[in-house]
Amino acid sequence: MGYPRVLTIQDISCVGQCSMAVALPILSACGLETCLLPTAILSTHTGGFGKPAVTHLDDALPGIWRHWQDCGITFDGILVGYLGSIPAIQAAEEILDHLLAPGGLAIIDPVMGDNGRLYSGFDQAYVQAMKGLCRRGDVLLPNLTEAALLAGVAYRDSLGEAPAELMTCLRHPCTVLTGMGAGPETTGALLWQKGELFRYTHPRINRNFHGTGDIFAASFAGALFQGKPIQDAVTVAADFTYRCVEETARNPAHWYGVKFEPLLPLLGHLAKG
């Protein structure tokens, strides 16, 4: 692609190393011109800081993307992360329909739940709206809970043991299922592409880390937008995420996020090498 222009659509959590605060530096480190559309501003992420101050930007989104359209701005790649509202989903749909350049790639991380449950504040109307958005994506990046919600099947831990069945119900030609290991001691990702499975795993570090999904999504997108084959992009993202988790695990006091910044030079090499 040369020097691709890419857009990421997601929230800004001002403190906590997640969402846009992760995507912007990671995509930039991959050698991409990175543009952004924040859907909401949160004082912190929602994992342990208490209730954050939140400002939704629903009313501003149409004016922003329509101005881009008036200026003839298009994007070679679009990464969609946490949206948080149905109007934000609708804005993302319009952007994918009107501002994705011919031959461009749309990657959607349908952030809405984990551990078998929807996140607080979401309901089935949000799930249905997300299904419509996901039909516009070239690649989906759900976790097991989100894949079950999109596929309309009941969540159970054993779903991951029969991924072909789940992916058939999901009915999307290209999905990367995140947080999928090959047993309790591993984690990783599983690529389903046109009926073929590719699994990539690494050891599980038994500690909860906020923001790993955002790191995986951004590094995967960065590698794919740079022209890497999709299996290589999965490997790059999984390896980089694991290295970041290793770095963070050495500092137990760093509980609120993942120390990815020291490893950005490594990612630039992996994504473009």
Side-chain angles (χ1 to χ4, degrees), residues 22 45 89 125 129 136 163 173 215 264-265:
V22 166
H45 64 59
I89 291 177
R136 292 166 163 81
I215 290 172
L264 285 175

Side-chain angles (χ1 to χ4, degrees), residues 65-121:
W65 78 259
R66 286 171 183 150
H67 180 227
W68 291 340
Q69 187 178 40
D70 290 344
C71 293
I73 294 170
T74 60
F75 303 98
D76 301 301
I78 297 176
L79 169 62
V80 179
Y82 180 88
L83 297 174
S85 70
I86 290 177
I89 291 177
Q90 293 168 339
E93 289 178 338
E94 296 285 1
I95 290 167
L96 292 180
D97 289 346
H98 297 288
L99 302 183
L100 185 63
L105 291 172
I107 300 172
I108 298 175
D109 184 359
V111 184
M112 57 181 171
D114 203 0
N115 298 314
R117 299 193 303 269
L118 280 169
Y119 291 140
S120 176

Side-chain angles (χ1 to χ4, degrees), residues 159-170 172-178 180-181 189-200 230-231 234:
L159 277 175
E161 298 169 8
E165 177 183 348
L166 175 61
M167 294 299 100
T168 299
C169 293
L170 187 58
H172 194 279
C174 189
T175 298
V176 179
L177 198 58
T178 60
M180 298 298 297
L190 188 150
L191 167 65
W192 169 269
Q193 186 178 33
K194 298 179 180 178
E196 299 292 328
L197 289 172
F198 168 75
R199 188 189 296 268
Y200 189 77
I230 192 166
Q231 289 190 8
V234 169

Side-chain angles (χ1 to χ4, degrees), residues 15-29:
V15 173
Q17 293 175 301
C18 69
S19 59
M20 192 78 77
V22 166
L24 178 58
I26 285 179
L27 292 169
S28 298

Side-chain angles (χ1 to χ4, degrees), residues 198 200 216 220 230-240 270:
F198 168 75
Y200 189 77
F216 182 95
F220 170 81
I230 192 166
Q231 289 190 8
D232 292 349
V234 169
T235 301
V236 166
D239 285 346
F240 180 67
L270 291 173

